[in-house]
Amino acid sequence: MVTRGGWRANEAIVKGEAEYTGPTQVFFVHHTATGNGYSCAQSASIVRGIQAYQVRSRGWDDVGYNFLVDKCGTVFEGRRGGVGRTVLGAHTVGFNADASSIAVIGNYGGVRVTPRVRTVIAAVAAYKLGAYGNAPNGRVVLTSGGGPRFPKGQRANLWRIAGHRDGGLTACPGNALYAQLPSIRAIAGAAPAGVHVLRIGGTALSARRYFSKGLIQPVWTSSTPTALINRFEIWVDGVLRVATPGAHRTTRLRLTPGSHTLSVRAVHLSGRSTTVSSRVIVDADAPVFAAKPVLALRPGTISSGAVPLQLRWNVGDGVALGSVGLTRPLAINLGTAARSRDVAAPPNRATPFTVRALDRAGNATSATITRTPWVVSEVSAQRRGSWRTLRNGGYLGGTAVAGSTRGASASFTFTGTSAALVFSRGPGAGRVGVFLDGRPQGMVDLRSASSEPRRIAWSRSWAGGGEHTVRVVVEGTPGRPGVALDGLVYLK
């Protein structure tokens, strides 16, 4: 808005002090009935001319209109006294009290105002009427102070946004502009439209809920022109937290841990409002591992570069777990429901496995376990009974030991958290009994449909890392007594 100082009002010709009236009940729309061929750079001088004419030629105290607007949509402060106050103007005979007004510079008998000017008229009208809770698209009954159309004391049923002709005997504001008043009322009296939250910075959206660590930045939009928006309000759980100017579309605020209803309320100049709400859950705590991850040997085939392992973990979050992934020795998405994963590690080398858990709010925690799968040759076993050496490139280290006599045994003593026996399985392989620290673990049948060298056929794991002994005893299975022992693997 161009103030009186901006358009260089002639304050020297103004008579007396500004007078004030009651709350704005009606807003009159006028045109100046001057030419339309002006450039908008000339608007300020035209306003000065209108002031001079109305004071010097008509004998008024000041320019009569409360506001003026040119064809480009620039608003000019009219009569002195304060834009935000109820200044008594001289614009509509009989209805200057409890009223405000705007005049469009030009003649709008046969020419419509542009959409921009229409919106500006609606904005100023909504601002003046809405300040007192009066619906711009409503009606009001006023008592005339005396004029050519309504004698003094006569009651008139007027639109809150009325044309000059509604209160007087005049063609003002011109037929074309008068025909636009219904749309101006609709714009001025509408609630903000198209209000919705585009995103909330500092959050992650999941299942229509926003998860955050606490500091958030909602970003919203509205299809209603900014000129018609009084302000935006941000409410949290029914409590007003922030109010921003109508031109703003974002703000920052910090929420406490817990579940909250975040509401963005757009307030129209008319006083009507539109509210949209979102659910924001604040989680300040990272996920928690119930214990360190666990690595154990598992059935599978050993190669020169990989020993089959199983990784187990247990992690949870007090609000919502977002993701769980392996970050070392390679990146794998483990999912939030799984609690184990088959992995592998190179033999005879320490390998760290790091599990990282992330909750929906972005809090993260990690846990690491490092283990070395040591491969022990069958040559190192304490053997009893009849065994013979087998040589083949398919065995670990190129050798294995074969036993077919019932009762032949081989023992490995080691210190670790998991152990596995490696055999060469095949169609003619027999069975062995396994003992752990002297306690029987059952029989293991090594027969398979095809040849499977370097195969883990039995494995166990335990919590501690103490010393243990695993002993293999040949059963001498009828018809297929032979077994091929290829060594032991243990984790340390």
Side-chain angles (χ1 to χ4, degrees), residues 203-263:
T203 71
L205 179 61
S206 176
R208 301 175 67 181
R209 296 179 298 170
Y210 293 90
F211 293 85
S212 172
K213 296 179 182 179
L215 182 63
I216 66 171
Q217 184 174 4
V219 179
W220 60 86
T221 187
S222 172
S223 59
T224 296
T226 296
L228 290 162
I229 300 293
N230 184 322
R231 66 190 181 276
F232 289 99
E233 298 173 348
I234 309 302
W235 295 70
V236 178
D237 301 330
V239 177
L240 177 63
R241 289 286 303 274
V242 180
T244 72
H248 288 205
R249 295 295 183 272
T250 185
T251 190
R252 290 186 180 184
L253 65 159
R254 184 174 292 279
L255 305 182
T256 58
S259 180
H260 302 281
T261 299
L262 176 77
S263 301

Side-chain angles (χ1 to χ4, degrees), residues 318-345:
V319 178
L321 200 59
S323 65
V324 180
L326 189 66
T327 60
R328 289 191 302 174
L330 71 168
I332 299 175
N333 180 11
L334 299 173
T336 58
R339 291 293 180 266
S340 65
R341 173 87 179 204
D342 287 348
V343 293

Side-chain angles (χ1 to χ4, degrees), residues 269-288:
L269 287 172
S270 67
R272 295 186 65 187
S273 64
T274 300
T275 301
V276 293
S277 298
S278 305
R279 176 66 62 181
V280 179
I281 298 173
V282 176
D283 180 6
D285 299 322
V288 176

Side-chain angles (χ1 to χ4, degrees), residues 78-90:
R79 177 161 287 214
R80 186 170 66 181
V83 169
R85 302 186 67 183
T86 54
V87 177
L88 179 65

